[in-house]
Amino acid sequence: MKACEIRGLEKSFGRNHVLRGIDLDLGAGEVTVLMGANGAGKSTLVKILCGFQGANAGTMKLEGQPYSPTDAADAISCGVVTVHQSIDDGVIPDLDVATNLMLNRLTEPGAGLMVRDRALRIAARKVADNMGLDLDVRARVSDLSVADRQMIAIARAMAYDPKILILDEPTSSLSASEADRLFALLDRLREQGVAILYISHRMSDIRRIADRIVCMRDGKISGVFDQAPLDYDGAVTAMLGHKMTEVDIEVVSGGPAILEVDQVLLDGSDTPVSFTARDGEVVAITGLLGSGKSQLADMIFGQKPVRAGQLRLDGQPYAPASAAQAVAAGVFMSSKDRSTNAVIPDFDIANNMTLPFLGSFSRLSLLSKTRQRGAATDMIKQIGVKCQSDQDGIGTLSGGNQQKVMIGRWLLEDSRVLLLDEPFQGVDIGARRDIGRHIRATAKGRATLVFAAELDEALEIADRIIVLHEGAIVGTHENSNIDLDALIAQVSGAKDARIQAN
Amino acid sequence: MKNEKILNFAIRFGFLILLLGLVLYFSLSASGFASPRSAAFILQSVAITGILALGVTCTLVVDGFDLSIGSVATTSLMLSAYAMVILEMSAFSAVMLCLLMGAVVGLINGLLIVKFKVPDLLATLGMMFLLIGLQRIPTQGNSIATGMKLPDGSVAEGAFSQAFLWLGRHRFDLVVERLVPVPVVIFLVTALAIYVFLELTRHGRLMYAIGSNERAAALVGANVNRYKIAAYMISGVTASIGGILLAARLGRGDIASGNNLLLDSVAAALIGFAVLGAARPNAFGTAVGALFVGILLQGLTMMNAPYYTQDFVKGAVLVIALVFTFYLSAKRGAGGKT
């Protein structure tokens, strides 16, 4: 049975033709995975489905009835519920878990004037139990971890009894066990006959959950795979338009030491962390959420104090107290979560890119637009940003292209240490390869540290991989003929693997 | 596609066309409107609000707000009168004292917001109350004029010096003799300076970045706190300039004047959002916004509209401008230049 039929859907933003005639069916009780490179039009399709934007042409039907949501609330009342990628869209941080879970109760007609907190909490606890969520329902959502917030957003979406549930990269901030809980829940919903549209870049998720794969490319459907067993390689090919090739890394062992991390203690660990990053070398630091990766990155960029141990830059003690001091010392960081930490939404590409180095583009503080635009145009070409010109608003770019701009920002000037914190977050494979290639090609003259939770991302870019677990280094690998099983065991913190590493 | 083009055109030039239309309409229907005297009068009527509005624009740029400008201006008015009439200081020292006061108030506002984490509206609201009260204490709530009786029984001997009054009353020759008043020149110079600072310097660009995404700006190494404090200091100084010019025009420390300054200047800055489809605070828009209100009021007055309709007209203009900014620009979608 078809839960949703989409025919000939088109959408353009100015000159950008984003959707060029999409035909898509979603079956009830089926998980349809939507794959597509950034800029393929996935996000736009989702925005039209959930009522944020109107289509320029085409029709949509929901269980046979014409469907054209006027806004997000209308879409939800029609039974189309979306869990968005940016988690904070889904929760109200200042309220407690119970209120967040039961928010739709409060908006129902005939809900009564007074909020009965006790009843609310009991009902919320039931919802949480059904989801396998182990949370204090009185806790404020702003005090919870990102992963917990995500689970709450999903739990609340369930409360609407959706006919169609759209999940936009739901696992991007979940740990493996949390993701398992999500998948178990999706299995249950599938049995209840909910049509699920699941958008993801993670092959492991897709293998686990997909009944059907639909690929998008350049605003069109480029492939539909629904024969079991699913042809995953075919899907990747349909998404990228060419066969995926393994990335060959010619391992560089690096020149003189640039950054030395000496006996630094990370939270939740008594074992100090020490390693050296050398000139020309790309070092990937990998580990699960909470392994101390982000803390380490923040320390090196002057965002968190180094409590024990020492950092040395070119042999000199280095203790930055702010981003400004780190940048002045030649240590640059492209932060994770670009929309909160990096993108200036009001600015165009050129101004976003040149932001850290405005001083170099100005004389007596007066900015030279020509020089800004010249540098931006060069970098756009080098790193392969897809855009009309350097004056496009940053918001008109797809996620992958925005990320290229954010990384290009820190390549405009030479650095001693370049830190890339989750540089491939929400970035498709094509853009990921472009970025990786460029980072490796320019690696000489600096030490590059890449903080990445995904192993294949680390494997694709690094000369050396350092594995963190609970604030301690549990393994270091040259990136050639790596024993993947051992690596995975170290990441997940298996006991015997640790003994080996020590 | 065609609709979109029209929409874009309307967003960009709609407000300027409206302004032009108004000027044409008044020129044809109100005799004497299209004259240098009338133009100078309009400029003079908006000069002081305009200067204050330019300061507010800077705080709006860093995603802040300064509610204290009106009271900084009146404090500056009273302070200059106090300095000259009671303390018998020279015009120059009085002006410097007022500018310093504006900068210090801005600094305190900035520190309250940045260091003590008080939300901007609340911090500057508190400062507004504080200043309104403070300026009444030295004179026990009375206006200041030469010959007034002081609390200790003596009589104030000092007077507004001619040099100080020159600031408010002198008119430069341009086409017609004695046409352009000094405040208008100061307004135009301030507008140009703020425009250059915000649009063309790296400091201005970083301030816009802070207003758009503070965290991202901090992570590229911008000193967010310093820029925010600077914005409030600029706002304080421009407000004190406004107060000085008001005092120079009135020639006395009138405790009751300047009541409308805050609302008028905030309105001008917000109307400025709509100019050229900027959809954000900008110096050019603010200046045009102030002029727009001035032209409208002058035209209506010359067509015998009663004075008590003025606030209503300003309010209507503001609401229309805000619709222009937020509704139409939202329709246009994300992105755009700079």
Side-chain angles (χ1 to χ4, degrees):
Chain A
M1 196 184 112
K2 300 265 180 290
C4 178
E5 272 183 75
I6 299 170
R7 290 290 173 271
L9 205 65
E10 284 186 41
K11 177 76 183 174
S12 38
F13 297 103
R15 289 164 296 180
N16 262 354
H17 216 50
V18 182
L19 296 183
R20 313 158 180 256
I22 298 287
D23 298 323
L24 179 65
D25 294 329
L26 299 179
E30 205 173 48
V31 176
T32 306
V33 167
L34 184 62
M35 285 174 81
N38 279 312
K42 296 181 314 261
S43 310
T44 309
L45 179 60
V46 169
K47 279 181 190 154
I48 291 173
L49 269 172
C50 68
F52 274 131
Q53 281 167 358
N56 296 129
T59 58
M60 294 189 284
K61 276 186 186 170
L62 210 61
E63 296 185 328
Q65 302 299 314
Y67 167 69
S68 55
T70 48
D71 55 24
D74 189 27
I76 289 171
S77 66
C78 291
V80 178
V81 173
T82 309
V83 177
H84 291 279
Q85 193 177 358
S86 43
I87 295 130
D88 287 334
D89 288 357
V91 291
I92 295 164
D94 283 346
L95 295 180
D96 62 5
V97 172
T99 314
N100 264 285
L101 285 173
M102 306 313 293
L103 211 52
N104 60 322
R105 245 346 132 68
L106 300 179
T107 61
E108 270 169 7
L113 182 62
M114 299 296 172
V115 175
R116 288 182 306 149
D117 265 324
R118 251 176 60 84
L120 198 71
R121 273 188 220 117
I122 292 167
R125 209 161 286 140
K126 213 177 274 169
V127 173
D129 287 346
N130 280 341
M131 287 282 295
L133 275 178
D134 183 23
L135 284 173
D136 176 8
V137 292
R138 290 161 185 260
R140 258 194 181 210
V141 166
S142 55
D143 297 336
L144 299 179
S145 71
V146 179
D148 282 337
R149 287 188 221 183
Q150 173 90 312
M151 294 304 273
I152 288 169
I154 294 170
R156 206 184 58 236
M158 293 341 308
Y160 292 104
D161 270 333
K163 292 183 190 114
I164 298 180
L165 176 66
I166 302 170
L167 298 144
D168 193 356
E169 302 210 33
T171 55
S172 57
S173 43
L174 299 189
S175 71
S177 69
E178 283 161 333
D180 277 340
R181 251 158 54 201
L182 172 69
F183 294 143
L185 182 87
L186 293 184
D187 288 339
R188 219 178 305 162
L189 290 172
R190 170 159 50 191
E191 277 159 31
Q192 289 168 17
V194 179
I196 298 170
L197 184 64
Y198 189 99
I199 295 156
S200 181
H201 290 127
R202 276 194 190 178
M203 273 330 270
S204 56
D205 291 6
I206 297 169
R207 278 179 220 273
R208 165 72 177 78
I209 201 79
D211 295 316
R212 218 167 138 241
I213 301 177
V214 174
C215 299
M216 275 182 81
R217 184 173 147 71
D218 291 336
K220 285 187 207 137
I221 301 289
S222 60
V224 179
F225 301 85
D226 47 12
Q227 302 291 321
L230 293 172
D231 178 6
Y232 299 106
D233 293 341
V236 172
T237 313
M239 171 174 90
L240 293 179
H242 58 80
K243 194 88 183 156
M244 239 173 94
T245 49
E246 284 294 314
V247 176
D248 285 324
I249 299 273
E250 267 183 55
V251 174
V252 179
S253 54
I258 293 184
L259 178 75
E260 291 165 82
V261 175
D262 189 7
Q263 304 284 318
V264 168
L265 268 186
L266 298 176
D267 286 348
S269 162
D270 308 325
T271 323
V273 165
S274 301
F275 65 91
T276 304
R278 299 176 179 283
D279 190 341
E281 192 184 29
V282 179
V283 181
I285 297 179
T286 188
L288 299 173
L289 269 177
S291 62
K293 288 192 318 277
S294 295
Q295 197 196 353
L296 184 60
D298 284 346
M299 278 177 179
I300 302 173
F301 197 55
Q303 299 294 300
K304 286 204 177 122
V306 178
R307 260 186 247 104
Q310 195 189 36
L311 301 177
R312 278 193 299 276
L313 187 65
D314 290 317
Q316 303 297 318
Y318 163 74
S322 66
Q325 286 181 20
V327 172
V331 176
F332 301 167
M333 177 160 93
S334 161
S335 309
K336 64 177 174 185
D337 297 332
R338 66 177 168 272
S339 56
T340 40
N341 293 333
V343 171
I344 307 290
D346 284 352
F347 282 11
D348 62 8
I349 298 176
N351 276 302
N352 258 295
M353 214 177 237
T354 53
L355 192 66
F357 306 113
L358 288 181
S360 329
F361 296 102
S362 51
R363 188 169 295 159
L364 296 172
S365 286
L366 281 178
L367 281 171
S368 159
K369 200 171 182 182
T370 331
R371 275 159 62 200
Q372 269 184 297
R373 294 194 54 186
T377 311
D378 281 352
M379 187 52 71
I380 284 169
K381 237 178 265 161
Q382 279 179 45
I383 202 162
V385 180
K386 256 194 221 165
C387 59
Q388 310 274 357
S389 88
D390 61 298
Q391 287 185 299
D392 291 1
I394 193 79
T396 63
L397 299 185
S398 66
N401 281 311
Q402 285 187 16
Q403 185 67 14
K404 284 182 182 175
V405 174
M406 293 308 127
I407 289 175
R409 173 190 274 183
W410 294 110
L411 296 171
L412 284 177
E413 293 207 343
D414 292 334
S415 51
R416 290 308 287 157
V417 179
L418 180 64
L419 307 166
L420 304 172
D421 195 0
E422 295 293 352
F424 306 121
Q425 224 172 28
V427 168
D428 68 278
I429 295 178
R432 182 165 124 190
R433 295 274 157 85
D434 287 349
I435 293 171
R437 203 177 306 126
H438 196 73
I439 293 296
R440 286 196 64 80
T442 57
K444 259 215 162 62
R446 63 160 192 256
T448 310
L449 292 183
V450 180
F451 298 84
E454 293 256 328
L455 279 181
D456 27 336
E457 291 172 6
L459 288 165
E460 251 175 48
I461 195 169
D463 299 306
R464 191 151 56 99
I465 297 175
I466 294 175
V467 184
L468 281 181
H469 184 79
E470 290 176 357
I473 292 182
V474 291
T476 303
H477 305 262
E478 285 284 312
N479 190 5
S480 54
N481 304 320
I482 288 187
D483 178 356
L484 277 179
D485 294 336
L487 188 63
I488 290 165
Q490 286 170 350
V491 169
S492 58
K495 277 255 158 52
D496 51 335
R498 265 202 230 183
I499 292 159
Q500 266 178 15
N502 294 342
Chain B
M1 270 331 258
K2 198 159 176 238
N3 271 338
E4 201 162 319
K5 263 193 185 150
I6 294 171
L7 185 66
N8 267 327
F9 185 81
I11 291 171
R12 260 183 99 70
F13 300 109
F15 221 77
L16 291 178
I17 290 169
L18 202 61
L19 183 65
L20 204 70
L22 269 182
V23 171
L24 280 176
Y25 174 73
F26 287 134
S27 305
L28 294 177
S29 51
S31 63
F33 181 86
S35 71
R37 288 264 174 241
S38 156
F41 185 82
I42 290 171
L43 279 167
Q44 183 172 24
S45 71
V46 302
I48 292 174
T49 7
I51 290 170
L52 263 67
L54 287 162
V56 180
T57 305
C58 291
T59 60
L60 289 172
V61 164
V62 293
D63 199 19
F65 203 94
D66 192 349
L67 279 177
S68 69
I69 44 163
S71 57
V72 171
T74 51
T75 304
S76 161
L77 165 86
M78 296 304 285
L79 181 63
S80 61
Y82 193 84
M84 284 182 294
V85 174
I86 295 171
L87 303 179
E88 300 179 26
M89 288 163 80
S90 70
F92 180 78
S93 343
V95 167
M96 283 302 140
L97 190 65
C98 289
L99 294 180
L100 184 70
M101 182 276 300
V104 169
V105 171
L107 178 67
I108 297 172
N109 275 335
L111 289 174
L112 283 176
I113 291 161
V114 164
K115 293 282 178 220
F116 297 97
K117 311 287 177 203
V118 183
D120 43 26
L121 278 173
L122 306 185
T124 55
L125 180 77
M127 185 54 75
M128 175 177 99
F129 263 106
L130 200 127
L131 289 175
I132 289 175
L134 183 65
Q135 69 198 20
R136 288 164 191 241
I137 292 174
T139 61
Q140 298 176 323
N142 297 313
S143 295
I144 301 173
T146 309
M148 72 178 284
K149 228 174 168 191
L150 297 177
D152 61 5
S154 63
V155 171
E157 297 282 328
F160 276 67
S161 74
Q162 284 310 308
F164 190 83
L165 293 174
W166 181 89
L167 284 173
R169 296 176 176 174
H170 181 76
R171 285 162 177 269
F172 295 106
D173 301 340
L174 183 86
V175 191
V176 189
E177 225 174 291
R178 294 183 38 75
L179 178 68
V180 186
V182 178
V184 170
V185 177
I186 295 179
F187 167 52
L188 295 177
V189 169
T190 312
L192 185 70
I194 301 275
Y195 174 83
V196 168
F197 177 74
L198 286 179
E199 300 294 328
L200 304 179
T201 70
R202 67 192 173 94
H203 304 297
R205 194 61 52 86
L206 284 170
M207 279 170 56
Y208 274 113
I210 289 167
S212 184
N213 186 345
E214 185 177 325
R215 177 142 180 80
L219 283 173
V220 300
N223 194 327
V224 172
N225 289 352
R226 206 177 289 168
Y227 278 114
K228 281 191 159 179
I229 291 174
Y232 286 96
M233 288 181 74
I234 293 172
S235 171
V237 170
T238 51
S240 68
I241 294 175
I244 292 167
L245 296 177
L246 195 59
R249 197 157 84 191
L250 295 172
R252 60 195 292 265
D254 187 352
I255 199 104
S257 54
N259 285 338
N260 245 343
L261 280 175
L262 170 65
L263 287 181
D264 283 0
S265 47
V266 167
L270 293 179
I271 291 169
F273 282 32
V275 177
L276 287 179
R280 59 177 191 175
N282 68 100
F284 178 73
T286 300
V288 172
L291 272 182
F292 191 96
V293 174
I295 287 170
L296 194 60
L297 293 184
Q298 168 75 348
L300 289 174
T301 308
M302 290 180 85
M303 290 178 70
N304 296 323
Y307 72 92
Y308 50 78
T309 53
Q310 290 198 351
D311 277 344
F312 174 79
V313 172
K314 287 182 214 166
V317 172
L318 178 58
V319 170
I320 292 168
L322 292 176
V323 169
F324 247 96
T325 304
F326 292 102
Y327 182 68
L328 294 182
S329 303
K331 269 196 145 177
R332 184 175 50 170
K337 280 193 172 180
T338 315

